[in-house]
Coordinates of all heavy atoms in Angstrom, one line a residue:
M626 N 65.3 55.9 65.7 CA 65.9 55.0 64.7 C 66.2 55.9 63.4 O 67.2 55.9 62.8 CB 65.0 53.8 64.4 CG 65.6 52.9 63.3 SD 64.5 51.6 62.8 CE 63.4 52.5 61.6
L627 N 65.1 56.4 62.9 CA 65.3 57.1 61.6 C 66.1 58.3 61.5 O 66.7 58.7 60.6 CB 63.8 57.5 61.1 CG 62.9 56.4 60.8 CD1 61.5 56.9 60.4 CD2 63.5 55.5 59.6
A628 N 66.4 59.0 62.8 CA 67.2 60.2 62.8 C 68.7 59.8 63.2 O 69.4 60.8 63.4 CB 66.5 61.1 63.8
V629 N 69.0 58.6 63.3 CA 70.3 58.3 63.8 C 71.3 58.0 62.6 O 70.8 57.1 61.8 CB 70.3 57.1 64.8 CG1 71.7 56.6 65.2 CG2 69.4 57.5 66.0
T630 N 72.3 58.6 62.5 CA 73.3 58.3 61.4 C 74.0 56.9 61.8 O 74.5 56.8 62.8 CB 74.3 59.4 61.3 OG1 73.6 60.6 61.1 CG2 75.2 59.1 60.1
P631 N 73.8 55.9 60.8 CA 74.3 54.6 61.2 C 75.9 54.6 61.0 O 76.5 53.4 61.2 CB 73.6 53.7 60.2 CG 73.3 54.6 59.1 CD 73.1 55.9 59.6
I632 N 76.5 55.6 60.6 CA 78.0 55.5 60.4 C 78.6 56.6 61.2 O 78.0 57.6 61.4 CB 78.4 55.8 58.9 CG1 77.7 56.9 58.3 CG2 78.1 54.3 58.2 CD1 78.2 57.2 56.9
D633 N 79.8 56.3 61.7 CA 80.6 57.3 62.5 C 81.4 58.1 61.5 O 82.5 57.6 61.2 CB 81.5 56.5 63.6 CG 82.2 57.5 64.4 OD1 82.2 58.7 64.1 OD2 82.8 57.0 65.4
L634 N 80.9 59.2 61.1 CA 81.6 60.1 60.1 C 83.0 60.5 60.6 O 83.8 60.8 59.7 CB 80.7 61.2 59.8 CG 79.4 60.9 59.0 CD1 78.6 62.1 58.8 CD2 79.8 60.3 57.7
S635 N 83.2 60.4 61.9 CA 84.6 60.9 62.3 C 85.6 59.9 62.0 O 86.9 60.2 62.0 CB 84.6 61.1 63.8 OG 84.4 60.0 64.6
K636 N 85.3 58.7 61.6 CA 86.2 57.6 61.2 C 86.4 57.5 59.8 O 87.1 56.6 59.3 CB 85.8 56.3 61.9 CG 85.8 56.3 63.3 CD 85.4 55.0 64.0 CE 85.6 55.0 65.5 NZ 85.0 53.9 66.1
V637 N 85.7 58.4 59.0 CA 85.7 58.3 57.6 C 86.9 59.2 57.1 O 87.0 60.3 57.5 CB 84.4 58.8 56.8 CG1 84.5 58.7 55.4 CG2 83.3 57.7 57.4
N638 N 87.6 58.7 56.1 CA 88.7 59.5 55.4 C 88.1 60.8 55.0 O 87.1 60.8 54.3 CB 89.2 58.6 54.3 CG 90.3 59.2 53.5 OD1 90.3 60.5 53.4 ND2 91.3 58.5 53.0
G639 N 88.9 61.8 55.2 CA 88.4 63.2 54.8 C 88.0 63.3 53.3 O 87.0 64.0 53.1
E640 N 88.8 62.6 52.5 CA 88.4 62.8 51.0 C 87.2 62.0 50.6 O 86.6 62.3 49.5 CB 89.5 62.5 50.1 CG 89.8 60.9 50.0 CD 90.9 60.7 49.0 OE1 92.0 61.4 49.1 OE2 90.8 59.7 48.2
N641 N 86.7 61.2 51.5 CA 85.5 60.4 51.2 C 84.3 60.7 51.9 O 83.3 60.2 51.7 CB 85.8 58.8 51.5 CG 86.7 58.3 50.5 OD1 86.8 58.6 49.3 ND2 87.6 57.4 50.9
I642 N 84.4 61.7 52.9 CA 83.3 62.0 53.8 C 82.1 62.5 53.0 O 81.0 62.1 53.3 CB 83.7 62.9 54.9 CG1 82.6 62.9 56.0 CG2 83.9 64.3 54.5 CD1 83.2 63.4 57.3
D643 N 82.3 63.4 52.0 CA 81.1 63.9 51.3 C 80.4 62.9 50.5 O 79.2 62.8 50.3 CB 81.6 65.1 50.5 CG 81.8 66.4 51.4 OD1 81.3 66.4 52.5 OD2 82.5 67.3 50.9
K644 N 81.3 62.0 49.9 CA 80.7 60.9 49.1 C 79.8 60.0 50.0 O 78.7 59.6 49.7 CB 81.7 60.0 48.5 CG 82.5 60.7 47.4 CD 83.5 59.7 46.7 CE 84.8 60.5 46.6 NZ 85.9 59.6 46.2
E645 N 80.4 59.7 51.3 CA 79.6 58.8 52.1 C 78.2 59.6 52.6 O 77.3 59.0 52.8 CB 80.4 58.5 53.4 CG 81.5 57.6 52.9 CD 81.9 56.4 53.9 OE1 81.0 56.1 54.8 OE2 82.9 55.8 53.8
I646 N 78.4 60.9 52.8 CA 77.2 61.6 53.3 C 76.1 61.6 52.2 O 74.9 61.3 52.4 CB 77.6 63.1 53.6 CG1 78.3 63.2 55.0 CG2 76.3 64.0 53.7 CD1 79.0 64.5 55.2
L647 N 76.6 61.8 51.0 CA 75.5 61.7 49.8 C 75.0 60.4 49.7 O 73.9 60.2 49.4 CB 76.3 62.2 48.5 CG 76.6 63.7 48.6 CD1 77.6 64.0 47.4 CD2 75.4 64.6 48.5
R648 N 75.9 59.3 49.8 CA 75.3 57.9 49.7 C 74.3 57.7 50.7 O 73.3 57.0 50.5 CB 76.5 56.9 49.7 CG 77.3 56.9 48.4 CD 78.3 55.8 48.5 NE 79.3 56.1 47.4 CZ 80.6 56.2 47.6 NH1 81.1 56.2 48.8 NH2 81.5 56.4 46.5
F649 N 74.6 58.1 52.0 CA 73.7 58.0 53.1 C 72.4 58.7 52.7 O 71.3 58.2 53.1 CB 74.4 58.4 54.4 CG 73.4 58.2 55.6 CD1 73.0 57.0 56.0 CD2 72.8 59.3 56.1 CE1 72.1 56.8 57.0 CE2 71.9 59.2 57.2 CZ 71.6 57.9 57.7
G650 N 72.5 59.9 52.3 CA 71.4 60.6 51.9 C 70.5 59.8 50.9 O 69.2 59.8 51.0
I651 N 71.1 59.2 49.9 CA 70.4 58.4 48.9 C 69.6 57.3 49.6 O 68.5 57.0 49.4 CB 71.4 58.0 47.9 CG1 71.9 59.1 47.0 CG2 70.6 56.9 46.9 CD1 73.1 58.8 46.0
I652 N 70.4 56.6 50.4 CA 69.8 55.5 51.2 C 68.5 55.9 51.9 O 67.6 55.3 51.9 CB 70.8 54.8 52.2 CG1 71.9 54.1 51.3 CG2 70.1 53.8 53.1 CD1 73.1 53.7 52.2
A653 N 68.7 57.0 52.6 CA 67.6 57.6 53.5 C 66.4 57.9 52.6 O 65.3 57.6 52.9 CB 68.0 58.8 54.3
E654 N 66.7 58.5 51.5 CA 65.5 59.0 50.5 C 64.9 57.7 50.0 O 63.6 57.6 49.9 CB 66.1 59.9 49.3 CG 66.6 61.1 49.9 CD 65.6 62.1 50.5 OE1 64.4 61.8 50.4 OE2 66.1 63.0 51.2
L655 N 65.6 56.7 49.6 CA 65.1 55.5 49.1 C 64.2 54.7 50.2 O 63.1 54.2 49.9 CB 66.2 54.5 48.6 CG 66.9 54.9 47.3 CD1 68.1 53.9 47.1 CD2 65.9 54.9 46.0
D656 N 64.7 54.8 51.3 CA 64.0 54.1 52.5 C 62.7 55.0 52.7 O 61.6 54.3 53.0 CB 64.9 54.2 53.7 CG 64.4 53.3 54.9 OD1 64.0 52.2 54.4 OD2 64.4 53.6 56.0
A657 N 62.8 56.3 52.5 CA 61.5 57.1 52.7 C 60.5 56.8 51.6 O 59.3 56.7 52.0 CB 61.9 58.6 52.7
I658 N 61.0 56.5 50.5 CA 60.1 56.2 49.3 C 59.3 54.9 49.8 O 58.1 54.8 49.7 CB 60.8 55.9 48.0 CG1 61.4 57.3 47.5 CG2 59.8 55.4 47.0 CD1 62.4 57.2 46.4
N659 N 60.0 53.9 50.1 CA 59.4 52.6 50.6 C 58.5 52.9 51.8 O 57.3 52.4 51.7 CB 60.4 51.6 51.0 CG 61.2 51.0 49.8 OD1 60.7 51.1 48.6 ND2 62.2 50.3 50.1
L660 N 58.9 53.6 52.7 CA 58.0 53.9 53.8 C 56.7 54.5 53.5 O 55.6 54.1 53.8 CB 58.7 54.8 54.9 CG 57.9 55.2 56.0 CD1 57.6 54.1 57.0 CD2 58.7 56.2 56.8
Y661 N 56.8 55.7 52.7 CA 55.6 56.4 52.3 C 54.6 55.5 51.4 O 53.4 55.5 51.6 CB 55.8 57.7 51.7 CG 56.5 58.7 52.6 CD1 57.7 59.4 52.3 CD2 56.0 58.9 53.9 CE1 58.3 60.2 53.2 CE2 56.5 59.9 54.8 CZ 57.6 60.5 54.4 OH 58.2 61.3 55.3
E662 N 55.3 54.8 50.6 CA 54.5 53.9 49.7 C 53.7 52.7 50.5 O 52.6 52.4 50.3 CB 55.3 53.3 48.5 CG 55.6 54.3 47.5 CD 56.3 53.8 46.2 OE1 56.7 52.6 46.2 OE2 56.5 54.6 45.4
Q663 N 54.4 52.2 51.5 CA 53.9 51.2 52.3 C 52.7 51.8 53.1 O 51.7 51.2 53.4 CB 55.0 50.5 53.2 CG 55.9 49.6 52.4 CD 57.2 49.3 53.3 OE1 57.1 49.4 54.4 NE2 58.2 48.8 52.6
L664 N 52.9 53.0 53.8 CA 52.0 53.6 54.6 C 50.7 53.9 53.7 O 49.6 53.7 54.1 CB 52.5 54.9 55.3 CG 53.6 54.7 56.3 CD1 54.1 56.1 56.6 CD2 53.0 54.0 57.5
S665 N 51.0 54.3 52.5 CA 49.8 54.7 51.6 C 49.0 53.5 51.4 O 47.8 53.5 51.1 CB 50.3 55.3 50.3 OG 50.8 54.4 49.5
E666 N 49.7 52.2 51.2 CA 48.9 51.0 50.9 C 48.1 50.5 52.1 O 47.3 49.7 52.0 CB 49.9 49.9 50.6 CG 50.5 50.2 49.2 CD 51.7 49.2 48.8 OE1 52.0 48.3 49.7 OE2 52.4 49.5 47.9
N667 N 48.5 51.1 53.3 CA 47.8 50.7 54.5 C 46.7 51.6 55.0 O 46.0 51.2 55.9 CB 48.8 50.4 55.6 CG 49.5 49.1 55.4 OD1 49.0 48.1 55.7 ND2 50.7 49.1 54.8
T668 N 46.6 52.8 54.5 CA 45.6 53.7 54.9 C 44.3 53.4 54.0 O 44.4 53.1 52.8 CB 46.0 55.1 54.9 OG1 44.9 56.0 55.4 CG2 46.3 55.6 53.5
T669 N 43.2 53.7 54.7 CA 41.9 53.6 53.9 C 41.3 55.0 53.5 O 40.4 55.2 52.8 CB 40.8 52.9 54.7 OG1 40.6 53.5 55.9 CG2 41.2 51.4 54.9
D670 N 42.1 56.0 54.1 CA 41.7 57.5 53.9 C 42.3 58.0 52.6 O 43.5 58.0 52.4 CB 42.2 58.3 55.1 CG 41.7 59.7 54.9 OD1 42.1 60.4 53.9 OD2 41.1 60.2 55.9
S671 N 41.4 58.3 51.6 CA 42.0 58.6 50.3 C 42.8 59.9 50.3 O 43.8 60.1 49.5 CB 40.8 58.8 49.3 OG 40.1 59.9 49.7
H672 N 42.6 60.8 51.2 CA 43.4 62.1 51.3 C 44.8 61.8 51.9 O 45.8 62.2 51.2 CB 42.7 63.1 52.2 CG 41.5 63.6 51.6 ND1 40.3 64.0 52.4 CD2 41.1 63.8 50.4 CE1 39.4 64.4 51.6 NE2 39.8 64.4 50.3
I673 N 44.8 60.9 52.8 CA 46.2 60.6 53.4 C 46.9 59.8 52.3 O 48.1 60.0 52.1 CB 45.9 59.7 54.7 CG1 45.4 60.6 55.7 CG2 47.3 59.1 55.1 CD1 44.9 59.9 57.1
K674 N 46.3 58.8 51.6 CA 46.9 58.1 50.6 C 47.5 59.0 49.6 O 48.6 58.8 49.2 CB 45.9 57.1 50.0 CG 46.5 56.2 48.9 CD 45.5 55.2 48.3 CE 45.0 54.2 49.2 NZ 45.9 53.0 49.4
K675 N 46.7 59.9 49.1 CA 47.1 60.9 48.0 C 48.3 61.6 48.5 O 49.3 61.9 47.6 CB 45.9 61.9 47.6 CG 46.2 62.6 46.5 CD 45.0 63.4 46.1 CE 45.2 64.2 44.8 NZ 43.9 64.9 44.4
V676 N 48.3 62.2 49.6 CA 49.5 63.0 50.1 C 50.7 62.2 50.3 O 51.7 62.5 50.0 CB 49.1 63.7 51.4 CG1 50.3 64.4 52.0 CG2 48.0 64.8 51.2
L677 N 50.5 60.9 50.9 CA 51.7 60.1 51.1 C 52.3 59.8 49.7 O 53.6 59.7 49.6 CB 51.3 58.8 51.8 CG 51.0 58.9 53.3 CD1 50.2 57.7 53.8 CD2 52.3 59.1 54.0
L678 N 51.5 59.4 48.7 CA 52.1 59.1 47.4 C 52.7 60.3 46.7 O 53.8 60.2 46.0 CB 51.1 58.5 46.5 CG 50.5 57.1 46.9 CD1 49.4 56.7 46.0 CD2 51.7 56.1 46.8
D679 N 52.2 61.5 47.0 CA 52.8 62.7 46.5 C 54.2 62.9 47.2 O 55.2 63.3 46.6 CB 51.9 63.9 46.7 CG 52.5 65.3 46.2 OD1 52.6 65.3 45.0 OD2 52.8 66.1 47.0
I680 N 54.3 62.7 48.6 CA 55.5 62.8 49.2 C 56.5 61.8 48.7 O 57.7 62.0 48.5 CB 55.3 62.7 50.8 CG1 54.5 63.9 51.2 CG2 56.6 62.6 51.5 CD1 54.0 63.9 52.7
A681 N 55.9 60.5 48.6 CA 56.9 59.5 48.1 C 57.5 59.9 46.7 O 58.7 59.7 46.4 CB 56.2 58.2 47.9
R682 N 56.7 60.6 45.9 CA 57.2 61.1 44.5 C 58.2 62.1 44.7 O 59.3 62.1 44.1 CB 55.9 61.6 43.8 CG 56.2 61.7 42.4 CD 54.9 62.0 41.6 NE 55.1 62.2 40.2 CZ 55.4 63.5 39.7 NH1 55.5 64.5 40.5 NH2 55.7 63.5 38.5
E683 N 58.1 63.1 45.7 CA 59.0 64.0 46.0 C 60.3 63.5 46.4 O 61.4 64.0 46.2 CB 58.5 65.1 47.0 CG 57.3 66.0 46.5 CD 56.7 66.8 47.6 OE1 57.1 66.8 48.7 OE2 55.7 67.4 47.2
E684 N 60.3 62.4 47.2 CA 61.5 61.8 47.8 C 62.4 61.3 46.5 O 63.6 61.2 46.6 CB 61.2 60.7 48.6 CG 60.3 61.0 50.0 CD 61.0 62.0 50.8 OE1 62.0 62.5 50.5 OE2 60.3 62.5 51.8
K685 N 61.6 60.8 45.4 CA 62.4 60.4 44.3 C 63.2 61.5 43.8 O 64.3 61.2 43.3 CB 61.4 59.8 43.2 CG 60.8 58.5 43.7 CD 59.7 58.0 42.8 CE 59.1 56.7 43.4 NZ 58.1 56.2 42.4
E686 N 62.7 62.7 43.7 CA 63.4 63.9 43.3 C 64.7 64.2 44.2 O 65.7 64.4 43.7 CB 62.5 65.2 43.3 CG 63.1 66.4 42.7 CD 62.1 67.5 42.5 OE1 61.3 67.7 43.4 OE2 62.3 68.2 41.5
H687 N 64.4 63.9 45.5 CA 65.5 64.2 46.4 C 66.7 63.1 46.1 O 67.8 63.5 46.2 CB 65.1 64.0 47.9 CG 64.1 65.0 48.2 ND1 63.3 64.9 49.4 CD2 63.6 66.1 47.7 CE1 62.5 65.9 49.5 NE2 62.7 66.7 48.4
V688 N 66.3 61.9 45.8 CA 67.3 60.9 45.3 C 68.1 61.5 44.2 O 69.3 61.4 44.2 CB 66.6 59.6 44.9 CG1 67.7 58.7 44.3 CG2 66.0 58.9 46.1
G689 N 67.4 62.1 43.2 CA 68.1 62.7 41.9 C 69.0 63.8 42.4 O 70.0 63.9 41.9
E690 N 68.6 64.6 43.4 CA 69.5 65.7 43.8 C 70.7 65.1 44.5 O 71.9 65.6 44.2 CB 68.7 66.5 44.8 CG 67.6 67.4 44.2 CD 66.8 68.2 45.2 OE1 66.2 67.5 46.1 OE2 66.8 69.3 45.1
F691 N 70.7 64.2 45.3 CA 71.9 63.7 45.9 C 72.7 62.9 44.8 O 74.0 63.0 44.9 CB 71.5 62.7 47.0 CG 71.0 63.3 48.3 CD1 69.9 62.9 49.0 CD2 71.8 64.3 48.9 CE1 69.5 63.5 50.2 CE2 71.4 65.0 50.1 CZ 70.3 64.5 50.7
K692 N 72.1 62.3 43.9 CA 72.9 61.5 42.9 C 73.6 62.5 42.1 O 74.8 62.3 41.7 CB 71.9 60.7 42.1 CG 71.5 59.3 42.8 CD 70.6 58.5 42.0 CE 71.3 57.8 40.9 NZ 70.3 56.8 40.1
A693 N 73.0 63.6 41.8 CA 73.6 64.6 40.9 C 74.9 65.1 41.6 O 75.9 65.3 41.0 CB 72.7 65.8 40.6
L694 N 74.8 65.3 42.8 CA 75.9 65.8 43.7 C 77.0 64.7 43.7 O 78.2 64.9 43.6 CB 75.5 66.3 45.0 CG 74.8 67.5 45.1 CD1 74.2 67.7 46.5 CD2 75.6 68.7 44.7
L695 N 76.6 63.5 44.0 CA 77.5 62.3 44.1 C 78.3 62.1 42.8 O 79.5 61.9 42.8 CB 76.8 61.0 44.5 CG 77.6 59.8 44.6 CD1 78.7 60.0 45.7 CD2 76.8 58.6 45.0
Y696 N 77.6 62.3 41.6 CA 78.2 62.0 40.3 C 79.4 63.1 40.1 O 80.3 62.7 39.4 CB 77.2 62.1 39.1 CG 76.2 61.1 39.1 CD1 74.9 61.2 38.5 CD2 76.4 59.8 39.8 CE1 74.1 60.2 38.5 CE2 75.5 58.8 39.8 CZ 74.3 59.0 39.1 OH 73.4 57.9 39.1
K697 N 79.2 64.2 40.7 CA 80.3 65.3 40.5 C 81.6 64.9 41.3 O 82.7 65.2 40.9 CB 79.8 66.6 41.0 CG 78.7 67.3 40.1 CD 78.3 68.7 40.8 CE 77.2 69.3 39.9 NZ 77.6 69.6 38.6
L698 N 81.3 64.2 42.4 CA 82.4 63.7 43.3 C 83.0 62.3 42.9 O 84.1 62.1 43.3 CB 82.0 63.8 44.8 CG 81.6 65.1 45.3 CD1 81.2 65.0 46.8 CD2 82.7 66.1 45.2
D699 N 82.2 61.5 42.4 CA 82.6 60.2 42.2 C 82.3 59.8 40.6 O 81.3 59.2 40.3 CB 81.8 59.2 43.1 CG 82.3 57.7 43.1 OD1 83.1 57.4 42.2 OD2 81.9 57.0 44.1
K700 N 83.3 60.0 39.9 CA 83.1 59.7 38.4 C 82.9 58.1 38.2 O 82.2 57.7 37.3 CB 84.3 60.2 37.6 CG 84.4 61.7 37.7 CD 83.2 62.3 37.1 CE 83.3 63.9 37.2 NZ 82.1 64.7 37.1
E701 N 83.6 57.3 39.1 CA 83.5 55.9 38.9 C 82.0 55.4 39.1 O 81.5 54.4 38.4 CB 84.4 55.2 39.9 CG 84.4 53.7 39.7 CD 85.4 53.0 40.8 OE1 84.9 53.1 42.0 OE2 86.3 52.5 40.4
Q702 N 81.3 56.1 40.0 CA 79.9 55.8 40.3 C 79.1 56.0 38.9 O 78.3 55.1 38.6 CB 79.4 56.7 41.4 CG 77.9 56.4 41.8 CD 77.8 55.2 42.5 OE1 78.6 54.8 43.4 NE2 76.7 54.4 42.3
T703 N 79.3 57.1 38.4 CA 78.6 57.4 37.1 C 78.9 56.3 36.0 O 78.0 55.8 35.4 CB 79.1 58.7 36.5 OG1 78.8 59.7 37.6 CG2 78.2 59.1 35.3
E704 N 80.2 56.0 35.9 CA 80.6 55.1 34.8 C 80.1 53.7 35.2 O 79.6 52.9 34.3 CB 82.1 54.8 34.9 CG 82.9 56.2 34.3 CD 84.4 56.2 34.6 OE1 84.9 55.1 35.0 OE2 85.0 57.2 34.5
M705 N 80.1 53.3 36.4 CA 79.7 51.9 36.7 C 78.1 51.8 36.6 O 77.6 50.7 36.3 CB 80.1 51.6 38.2 CG 81.6 51.3 38.3 SD 82.4 50.3 37.0 CE 81.7 48.7 37.3
E706 N 77.4 52.9 36.9 CA 76.0 52.8 36.8 C 75.6 52.7 35.3 O 74.7 52.0 34.9 CB 75.3 54.1 37.4 CG 75.2 54.0 38.9 CD 74.3 55.1 39.4 OE1 73.4 55.6 38.8 OE2 74.6 55.5 40.6
D707 N 76.2 53.5 34.5 CA 76.1 53.4 33.0 C 76.3 52.0 32.5 O 75.7 51.5 31.8 CB 76.9 54.4 32.3 CG 76.6 55.8 32.5 OD1 75.5 56.1 33.0 OD2 77.3 56.8 32.2
S708 N 77.5 51.4 33.0 CA 77.9 50.1 32.6 C 76.8 49.1 33.0 O 76.4 48.1 32.3 CB 79.2 49.7 33.3 OG 79.6 48.4 33.0
G709 N 76.3 49.2 34.2 CA 75.3 48.3 34.7 C 74.0 48.4 34.0 O 73.3 47.4 33.6
A710 N 73.6 49.6 33.5 CA 72.4 49.8 32.7 C 72.6 49.2 31.4 O 71.7 48.6 30.9 CB 72.2 51.3 32.7
K711 N 73.8 49.3 30.7 CA 74.0 48.8 29.4 C 74.0 47.2 29.5 O 73.5 46.5 28.7 CB 75.5 49.1 29.0 CG 75.5 50.4 28.2 CD 76.8 50.7 27.7 CE 77.1 52.2 27.3 NZ 78.4 52.6 27.4
E712 N 74.5 46.7 30.7 CA 74.5 45.2 30.8 C 73.1 44.7 30.9 O 72.8 43.7 30.3 CB 75.3 45.0 32.1 CG 75.7 43.5 32.3 CD 76.7 43.2 33.5 OE1 77.6 44.1 33.6 OE2 76.4 42.4 34.2
V713 N 72.3 45.4 31.5 CA 70.8 45.0 31.6 C 70.2 45.1 30.2 O 69.5 44.0 29.9 CB 70.1 45.9 32.7 CG1 68.6 45.7 32.5 CG2 70.5 45.5 34.1
E714 N 70.4 46.1 29.5 CA 69.9 46.2 28.2 C 70.3 45.0 27.3 O 69.5 44.5 26.6 CB 70.2 47.6 27.5 CG 69.6 48.8 28.1 CD 68.0 48.7 28.1 OE1 67.5 48.2 27.0 OE2 67.4 49.0 29.0
E715 N 71.6 44.7 27.4 CA 72.2 43.6 26.6 C 71.5 42.3 27.0 O 71.2 41.4 26.2 CB 73.7 43.6 26.7 CG 74.3 44.7 26.0 CD 75.9 44.8 26.4 OE1 76.3 44.0 27.1 OE2 76.5 45.8 26.0
L716 N 71.4 42.1 28.3 CA 70.7 40.8 28.8 C 69.3 40.8 28.3 O 68.8 39.7 28.0 CB 70.8 40.8 30.4 CG 72.0 40.4 30.8 CD1 72.0 40.6 32.4 CD2 72.4 39.0 30.6
L717 N 68.7 41.9 28.3 CA 67.2 42.0 27.9 C 66.9 41.7 26.4 O 65.9 41.3 25.9 CB 66.4 43.1 28.4 CG 66.4 43.3 30.0 CD1 65.7 44.6 30.3 CD2 65.7 42.2 30.6
E718 N 68.0 42.0 25.6 CA 67.9 41.9 24.2 C 68.2 40.5 23.8 O 67.7 40.1 22.6 CB 69.0 42.8 23.4 CG 68.7 44.3 23.5 CD 69.8 45.1 23.0 OE1 70.9 44.5 22.5 OE2 69.8 46.3 23.1
E719 N 68.7 39.7 24.6 CA 69.0 38.3 24.2 C 67.7 37.4 24.0 O 66.8 37.7 24.8 CB 70.0 37.7 25.2 CG 71.3 38.3 25.2 CD 72.3 37.7 26.2 OE1 71.9 36.8 27.0 OE2 73.5 38.2 26.2
Ligands
FE2_1863 FE1 63.5 63.6 51.2

């Protein structure tokens, strides 16, 4: 399940394929963060917990790496994320 790509990349428009690959990478990293954090909450072994949380933290860095590449290819993504962040700030100020 975890090693299967859920999209058929052969059917993706050539100009969008790298964006889709990067988005899929981001999804996989976010999923990994949840997985490692959930596993850490379920172990009683402090060493395992510590390593799982360290790995979860590293996955967050991987998200950043994929996002940095995606932002280079998809300027609209950057703009819309900035817009979303501003919208939240405005909502929280009210
Ligand atoms: Fe990763």
Side-chain angles (χ1 to χ4, degrees):
M626 175 190 89
L627 294 174
V629 176
T630 305
I632 50 175
D633 182 354
L634 292 172
S635 69
K636 294 181 179 170
V637 176
N638 179 327
E640 77 178 43
N641 290 324
I642 194 161
D643 286 339
K644 291 182 226 172
E645 291 218 19
I646 287 170
L647 292 169
R648 290 186 191 117
F649 179 69
I651 291 166
I652 291 167
E654 297 298 345
L655 291 172
D656 197 42
I658 294 165
N659 282 348
L660 173 66
Y661 292 130
E662 287 187 352
Q663 288 168 16
L664 291 173
S665 77
E666 290 168 9
N667 282 282
T668 184
T669 55
D670 184 301
S671 64
H672 292 146
I673 294 173
K674 182 182 290 282
K675 187 173 186 176
V676 171
L677 285 167
L678 289 174
D679 182 63
I680 292 171
R682 196 167 177 276
E683 290 172 6
E684 303 301 358
K685 293 176 182 177
E686 185 172 38
H687 298 165
V688 172
E690 290 175 300
F691 283 134
K692 285 177 78 175
L694 289 169
L695 180 60
Y696 293 158
K697 290 180 183 295
L698 298 180
D699 188 348
K700 298 300 179 198
E701 183 179 69
Q702 182 72 41
T703 308
E704 292 166 13
M705 295 311 292
E706 283 192 29
D707 290 347
S708 175
K711 274 185 200 156
E712 197 171 314
V713 168
E714 286 303 317
E715 288 167 8
L716 284 169
L717 296 180
E718 287 173 6
E719 293 176 357

